[in-house]
Amino acid sequence: MADGRSTVYAGGDTVEDPYGQPLGGYHDAELKESFFKLPWAVAPFLDGWAVSDAENDVVRIIRPEVIQTLNGHSEERLTVSKLGVEFHRPTGLAADNRGNLYVSDTLQGAIRKITSRGEVTTVATGLSEPMGLCWKDGDLYVAESGANRVLKISKTGNRAVLAGNGNPGFVNGTGGQASFSSPQGVAVDKDGTVYVSDTTNSAIRRIQNGRVTTLIARDITNLRSFFPIAPAGLLVQGDTLYICDTFARKLLAFPLR
């Protein structure tokens, strides 16, 4: 994207539904000849970009000239098909500094790890619709959408609730006093501040020094207040927070300093 103009990097046009929306599809091929169906997240992996293709239940990798399926193999008791390990609506992705990719296996309530050799292992299970992921300084941050909270999984595998009391709501406060409603995205700043897409609340929340505050929220009483509507993907780059608003089909840039 240059000067605010976006271009298509990968994915071809598909048949449209009666409302004029593309139906999508599944096809591994050259960049403009490939098809996706609800691509959800992107993260750097190997020599390209990993993409969670949510409705196709696969993780894809975009290399310089081709797109391939990346579901890998596993020695665990996971279901495996001809495409590799079966994911059920993969969404959030995050890459660490050791060449591993983390995947939110949302409808199986798990976080998987894919190594650079294609080995799939389980990082966490028993979650409720985990979605957004962010890896930072050895820790994995998880937006656990179905449980209305944000988790932190340490490098040793210890799991802790960073914020959220588990009940849907829109309350600021410390740790478990705060509430979210179906959070779908998470990002971490260089100073450890955590930003959360509080999707159903049409808000971006901030977790700093253990306390949750509201950074941005849509004013539902103001008909001219358009954003955010359904924020999902988040990325901190320098002093800017980038927000992917899926419903509004907008990419928003919010200065942090």
Side-chain angles (χ1 to χ4, degrees):
M1 184 171 68
D3 300 325
R5 297 177 179 273
S6 61
T7 58
V8 176
Y9 178 62
D13 295 330
T14 62
V15 175
E16 296 180 350
D17 66 16
Y19 302 98
Q21 299 300 316
L23 291 174
Y26 173 74
H27 183 48
D28 284 340
E30 295 180 0
L31 300 186
K32 300 295 178 65
E33 302 299 322
S34 60
F35 297 144
F36 295 88
K37 197 165 187 179
L38 194 61
W40 205 92
V42 179
F45 188 58
L46 299 176
D47 56 350
W49 298 92
V51 179
S52 51
D53 194 355
E55 288 195 5
N56 281 322
D57 293 330
V58 294
V59 178
R60 321 277 287 280
I61 184 165
I62 302 177
R63 298 180 188 273
E65 297 180 356
V66 69
I67 295 176
Q68 298 170 291
T69 297
L70 186 71
N71 279 32
H73 55 273
S74 181
E75 295 184 359
E76 296 182 8
R77 292 185 176 180
L78 300 175
T79 304
V80 178
S81 71
K82 63 180 181 180
L83 298 176
V85 173
E86 286 191 2
F87 296 103
H88 291 184
R89 200 174 183 86
T91 56
L93 299 176
D96 67 16
N97 60 356
R98 295 188 176 183
N100 299 308
L101 179 73
Y102 298 89
V103 183
S104 280
D105 195 353
T106 301
L107 295 187
Q108 296 196 83
I111 307 294
R112 315 291 185 193
K113 180 173 73 173
I114 304 178
T115 70
S116 59
R117 296 181 297 277
E119 298 166 343
V120 180
T121 56
T122 300
V123 174
T125 59
L127 304 181
S128 179
E129 297 184 8
M131 299 190 77
L133 297 178
C134 181
W135 185 90
K136 181 71 173 178
D137 297 333
D139 297 318
L140 188 65
Y141 296 80
V142 184
E144 191 181 6
S145 186
N148 304 296
R149 60 187 186 177
V150 179
L151 305 180
K152 181 179 179 180
I153 302 175
S154 71
K155 62 184 73 176
T156 59
N158 292 327
R159 186 190 310 178
V161 177
L162 193 62
N165 58 27
N167 298 313
F170 194 0
V171 178
N172 290 324
T174 303
Q177 297 176 346
S179 60
F180 303 88
S181 188
S182 300
Q184 293 188 11
V186 63
V188 185
D189 202 346
K190 58 186 176 183
D191 63 2
T193 300
V194 180
Y195 300 93
V196 182
S197 283
D198 195 0
T199 307
T200 301
N201 282 326
S202 300
I204 303 297
R205 314 286 289 283
R206 174 171 53 197
I207 307 173
Q208 192 173 40
N209 298 322
R211 184 173 181 80
V212 177
T213 57
T214 299
L215 185 66
I216 318 168
R218 184 184 180 208
D219 182 1
I220 60 174
T221 65
N222 182 359
L223 296 179
R224 296 185 178 182
S225 178
F226 297 111
F227 307 113
I229 299 176
L234 294 179
L235 173 68
V236 175
Q237 192 75 16
D239 293 334
T240 302
L241 176 66
Y242 293 93
I243 305 163
C244 181
D245 193 324
T246 54
F247 188 88
R249 300 183 182 181
K250 300 287 186 182
L251 179 63
L252 313 177
F254 184 85
L256 296 175
R257 294 171 183 83

